[in-house]
Amino acid sequence: MLLFELKKIFGKRKNKLTLVLLFAIVLIGSFLTIRDVRCYQEDGTVNFGFSAASQLKKMKNEWKGELTEDVIRQVVEENTKNKDFAGSEEVMLARQQSFDDIREMINQALSPEGEYDYYTADHVSQEKAAMLYEERIAKLKRELSDSEKGAKNYSKKERDFLIRQYEEFKTPLYYEYAEGWKALLDSQYLPTLMIITIVLIGFLVSGIFSDEFQYKAESVFFAARLGRSKAVAAKVEAGFLTVTLVYWSVMLLFSGIVLCVIGFDGAGCMIQTGTNWESFYNITYLQDWLLSMFGGYIGNLFILLFAMFVSVKSHSTALAVTIPFVLSCAPMFLGRVSMLTNIMNFFPDMLLRISKFLDVLLVCEVGKTVMGIYPFLIGVYLLLSILLLPVLYFNYKKVQIK
């Protein structure tokens, strides 16, 4: 029965076209992500993709190793030499690429409170830059003690939790080329692909529980000997498997293409060596990928199971199709309304954009425990997804034939 339900899903012409479209979107997203990796040449030209990655790997690995105080001083010295170089801007930009990641860490650590200044590293002293690990903690403490920011937005337990996470951060950081992971996790394409994936999977699963009603065959289905038992269970299993197989196929294909071209190097580097300097999650790029992928899966699973539940209750394919779009897109816009921002932080769409917002200090207090919002949301929506499975089964099993 399960195979029969899966054949019904993947055998439909519109669903086959949906899968082809999704495959094409993965290829386009992979191409655009790879193309975003650039290496600037001294003659003003720019290399993209694989050739750029090969050059950047050689350049950035000149600084491979622990970013000790001495190494950071050397970066400031090198940056000063490059800044004082009486050559063209193109040559300066090309030469800066080898230490640009470390320069960016200095910018983020030592920029003025609540601001970001790209030229901070050009003016800071070597001794000041060497204190960037200590300044990271000090800067957080100053922000959390600010009556308008920290004290107003965080409880004492939450402030203590954030400070403790910063203080437990192991330094000096290990650094090496990690452009593949940065291209994959820091780009705009991963969360966009997750949203597109959930919407298109919605087309695949929206008819699982309503097709019999659309074709006026519900009386035959439920009158069958196993219609209200194994047949219903097969529909639930088919929905779960479709969401799981399509989601992981898309994400693994997208990740595999990008990393195979740009490189798997740097998986063990901390995410703070990239654009997530202020993140309180003390995790590596590989762990970031696992968190983002599993979180995205749980978000997909809950939203699509809920769409199937709507289909069960309404017997409408059209209504069920709208649910993934509404739950994955609408909260992003509603979150811009100040009075709704905090509420929107707990909607499942947050799990589709984990990698882009790991540097935002989003925490929640549950009883006596304080944790990051993403582990909390993963736990909550995993539990709700598990509960939705029997709910789907028993609600469809008890459907009354009119």
Side-chain angles (χ1 to χ4, degrees):
M1 287 185 178
L2 174 59
L3 288 177
F4 175 71
E5 288 295 334
L6 290 174
K7 287 180 180 178
K8 284 170 62 179
I9 295 171
F10 294 104
K12 293 179 181 178
R13 180 177 176 81
K14 69 179 182 68
N15 288 354
K16 289 180 180 179
L17 293 175
T18 298
L19 291 173
V20 171
L21 175 62
L22 188 54
F23 178 71
I25 290 172
V26 172
L27 294 182
I28 293 171
S30 302
F31 171 78
L32 293 175
T33 301
I34 292 168
R35 186 173 173 78
D36 273 356
V37 177
R38 304 179 181 186
C39 184
Y40 298 93
Q41 309 300 306
E42 294 190 6
D43 62 1
T45 59
V46 183
N47 286 344
F48 301 90
F50 179 75
S51 61
S54 299
Q55 288 181 286
L56 288 171
K57 184 175 181 179
K58 294 178 182 178
M59 296 168 64
K60 290 180 180 291
N61 277 345
E62 293 176 8
W63 301 93
K64 183 176 180 179
E66 292 187 342
L67 298 180
T68 61
E69 292 184 3
D70 288 339
V71 172
I72 295 169
R73 291 190 185 95
Q74 291 175 28
V75 169
V76 174
E77 181 180 359
E78 194 67 27
N79 182 67
T80 301
K81 290 179 181 178
N82 189 52
K83 179 172 65 74
D84 295 338
F85 173 69
S88 66
E89 186 175 344
E90 288 79 7
V91 174
M92 292 174 60
L93 182 61
R95 293 184 177 182
Q96 181 180 301
Q97 290 174 112
S98 66
F99 56 86
D100 203 37
D101 293 330
I102 307 171
R103 182 182 184 279
E104 186 61 20
M105 290 168 59
I106 296 171
N107 287 337
Q108 293 184 67
L110 302 176
S111 287
E113 302 290 328
E115 300 178 17
Y116 170 78
D117 183 2
Y118 175 80
Y119 299 101
T120 296
D122 294 343
H123 309 296
V124 71
S125 68
Q126 292 185 25
E127 294 306 315
K128 180 69 173 177
M131 299 291 290
L132 87 165
Y133 297 129
E134 293 82 354
E135 182 58 28
R136 180 173 180 266
I137 299 173
K139 191 174 183 179
L140 175 69
K141 289 181 177 179
R142 290 195 298 271
E143 290 178 355
L144 293 180
S145 62
D146 188 294
S147 59
E148 291 297 320
K149 296 179 181 178
K152 181 180 179 181
N153 298 322
Y154 302 95
S155 68
K156 184 179 185 306
K157 280 187 178 181
E158 290 172 339
R159 295 196 297 271
D160 291 343
F161 168 79
L162 289 170
I163 293 171
R164 186 167 61 253
Q165 287 292 106
Y166 266 47
E167 290 177 338
E168 291 176 355
F169 184 61
K170 294 182 179 180
T171 59
L173 288 172
Y174 175 81
Y175 175 80
E176 66 173 308
Y177 168 86
E179 292 305 302
W181 297 99
K182 293 175 186 176
L184 179 63
L185 296 167
D186 295 343
S187 77
Q188 60 182 322
Y189 302 112
L190 179 58
T192 301
L193 180 60
M194 284 193 176
I195 292 173
I196 292 174
T197 299
I198 197 173
V199 171
L200 292 183
I201 295 178
F203 283 96
L204 301 180
V205 302
S206 59
I208 294 176
F209 294 95
S210 58
D211 276 354
E212 278 70 25
F213 293 91
Q214 302 298 319
Y215 300 138
K216 306 299 181 182
E218 69 273 17
S219 58
V220 176
F221 178 85
F222 288 108
R225 185 168 67 90
L226 300 177
R228 291 188 180 272
S229 55
K230 288 187 177 180
V232 174
K235 285 184 174 292
V236 176
E237 292 170 5
F240 173 79
L241 285 175
T242 298
V243 174
T244 301
L245 291 174
V246 176
Y247 171 83
W248 283 109
S249 296
V250 168
M251 292 303 138
L252 291 176
L253 178 60
F254 177 69
S255 301
I257 292 173
V258 173
L259 292 174
C260 284
V261 174
I262 308 302
F264 290 82
D265 311 67
C269 290
M270 303 299 286
I271 60 173
Q272 285 78 6
T273 58
T275 59
N276 294 300
W277 174 252
E278 296 183 347
S279 175
F280 64 88
Y281 291 94
N282 300 329
I283 57 177
T284 64
Y285 280 115
L286 178 58
Q287 292 168 329
D288 180 359
W289 182 85
L290 291 171
L291 177 66
S292 299
M293 292 295 138
F294 186 70
Y297 170 64
I298 297 303
N300 267 259
L301 185 61
F302 171 78
I303 292 173
L304 291 165
L305 287 176
F306 184 73
M308 287 184 261
F309 176 72
V310 170
S311 177
V312 168
K313 303 301 287 186
S314 67
H315 306 160
S316 170
T317 299
L319 182 59
V321 166
T322 65
I323 299 300
F325 177 80
V326 171
L327 289 183
S328 62
C329 298
M332 288 190 294
F333 299 100
L334 293 174
R336 297 175 183 177
V337 181
S338 57
M339 63 182 297
L340 297 177
T341 300
N342 290 334
I343 297 174
M344 292 299 108
N345 286 339
F346 292 92
F347 272 59
D349 69 295
M350 291 290 290
L351 293 174
L352 309 180
R353 300 188 296 276
I354 292 177
S355 62
K356 287 296 291 179
F357 296 102
L358 280 179
D359 60 336
V360 181
L361 304 180
L362 292 175
V363 296
C364 59
E365 190 173 337
V366 183
K368 296 182 179 180
T369 304
V370 177
M371 65 181 73
I373 197 169
Y374 296 118
F376 172 75
L377 291 178
I378 289 174
V380 168
Y381 285 108
L382 174 59
L383 177 61
L384 291 176
S385 297
I386 293 172
L387 293 176
L388 268 175
L389 291 171
V391 168
L392 281 175
Y393 175 79
F394 287 110
N395 272 268
Y396 199 65
K397 182 179 181 180
K398 295 178 180 178
V399 167
Q400 299 297 317
I401 306 300
K402 296 181 181 179

